Amino acid sequence: MSDKNIRIAPGSDDGLISSLVYSALNTSKQQLLRPANSEWIEEAGVLLVRQCLDSSFDQKTVLQELMELGFKHDTIVDYCIPLAATKLGESWVNDTLSFAETTVGSANLQKLLKLIAQGRQISLNSNNGKRFLICVHESEQHTLGALVMGDMLRRQGHSLKIKLDAKFSEICELQNSNDYDAIFFSCASFLSAKETAGCVKKIRQTFRYNLPIFLGGSNIEQISQGVNLKDFDLVTSSLDAATEYVEKQRKKEPLGLLGAH
């Protein structure tokens, strides 16, 4: 692998590189190929990459084609889209795709994911689930990971709000108004991890009660190295670990703020 397999310094133009690239640098494809027929998933990933790079890409057509091949919505979200994202990132790392091409592919994967997620919002029943706020801090430009996380949580029966380009004041207002059971932050770069940690420190100083706050991403351990993460309850790429924490740990005091936003 090239010298791009290094954490990109804050402030660099490449500091805003696609989350797909970070995933490619640190995510093992073997972790993505969990279904019994891994070759089938691998072929779907290759197909999806080719489609996302096509100038005539149409998410409805792509979804229909994948479904005709026998893929369910859950499999597409959990395996096909992450694998395609990893392949796009690897191609950038290996200099077989440009940054612009990788970004276009990422955007098209996100369109496909949104199409699937919109269909789920009608049919899912969240009455027995928790209520979560998923945030992508304003310093982070890439949102695919947060949308994948949201789809997975909805399938588990949870209700949630996804806030992109989230500012500290907006997060506090949402939490104060809705009393979410926990807040998830999704990061794809060292810069956004650092800025998100600073935002969470201010959130801790604002709310009186012990609100569970998590930091996640497909390679969050690598991109957050050197960042002070003490204000997060968990830093993990496992949704199960986070939701189990909420079940076991939340003992909330009456809602209240220490200061103005």
Side-chain angles (χ1 to χ4, degrees), residues 33-71:
L33 302 181
R34 294 176 183 172
N37 194 339
S38 59
E39 294 181 359
W40 188 45
I41 300 293
E42 179 77 26
E43 292 177 4
V46 172
L47 173 65
L48 192 49
V49 167
R50 184 167 64 249
Q51 292 168 322
C52 286
L53 293 173
D54 193 316
S55 60
S56 63
F57 175 85
D58 177 76
Q59 59 269 36
K60 293 182 180 179
T61 301
V62 171
L63 179 57
Q64 183 62 34
E65 184 173 347
L66 289 171
M67 293 177 65
E68 288 175 355
L69 290 172
F71 289 97

Side-chain angles (χ1 to χ4, degrees), residues 4-211:
K4 291 176 184 175
N5 192 12
I6 300 173
R7 188 180 70 208
I8 298 174
S12 164
D13 289 340
D14 285 342
L16 297 178
I17 190 66
S18 169
S19 59
L20 305 181
V21 174
Y22 288 109
S23 296
L25 296 178
N26 296 292
T27 301
S28 168
K29 284 194 295 183
Q30 294 304 314
Q31 293 178 316
L32 300 175
L33 302 181
R34 294 176 183 172
N37 194 339
S38 59
E39 294 181 359
W40 188 45
I41 300 293
E42 179 77 26
E43 292 177 4
V46 172
L47 173 65
L48 192 49
V49 167
R50 184 167 64 249
Q51 292 168 322
C52 286
L53 293 173
D54 193 316
S55 60
S56 63
F57 175 85
D58 177 76
Q59 59 269 36
K60 293 182 180 179
T61 301
V62 171
L63 179 57
Q64 183 62 34
E65 184 173 347
L66 289 171
M67 293 177 65
E68 288 175 355
L69 290 172
F71 289 97
K72 305 293 187 183
H73 284 182
D74 293 1
T75 306
I76 295 171
V77 172
D78 293 354
Y79 302 108
C80 298
I81 290 178
L83 182 58
T86 299
K87 287 182 176 295
L88 284 172
E90 287 174 341
S91 296
W92 182 85
V93 170
N94 295 327
D95 295 318
T96 57
L97 282 180
S98 68
F99 175 77
E101 290 171 319
T102 304
T103 301
V104 168
S106 171
N108 286 336
L109 285 177
Q110 186 162 307
K111 290 178 182 177
L112 177 61
L113 177 60
K114 283 184 176 179
L115 177 63
I116 295 172
Q118 287 169 358
R120 294 189 191 283
Q121 291 176 5
I122 299 173
S123 59
L124 289 179
N125 186 339
S126 305
N127 292 336
N128 297 322
K130 298 295 183 182
R131 301 173 66 253
F132 296 128
L133 175 61
I134 298 177
C135 295
V136 177
H137 188 261
E138 60 181 327
S139 60
E140 175 62 75
Q141 294 187 347
H142 305 291
T143 59
L144 184 62
L147 296 174
V148 170
M149 183 193 310
D151 188 79
M152 290 179 173
L153 286 169
R154 284 194 177 101
R155 272 185 277 146
Q156 293 177 7
H158 304 294
S159 62
L160 51 96
K161 165 75 174 179
I162 299 179
K163 179 63 179 175
L164 308 179
D165 193 28
K167 299 175 176 59
F168 163 71
S169 60
E170 295 171 333
I171 296 168
C172 288
E173 288 169 3
L174 283 168
Q175 177 60 27
N176 193 38
S177 300
N178 298 281
D179 190 21
Y180 292 104
D181 292 296
I183 301 177
F184 292 79
F185 284 90
S186 176
C187 288
S189 71
F190 175 83
L191 175 61
S192 65
K194 183 178 179 180
E195 293 295 322
T196 299
C199 176
V200 170
K201 181 177 181 179
K202 292 169 66 178
I203 292 173
R204 292 295 189 202
Q205 295 169 347
T206 300
F207 288 93
R208 290 195 179 101
Y209 58 84
N210 185 25
L211 171 67

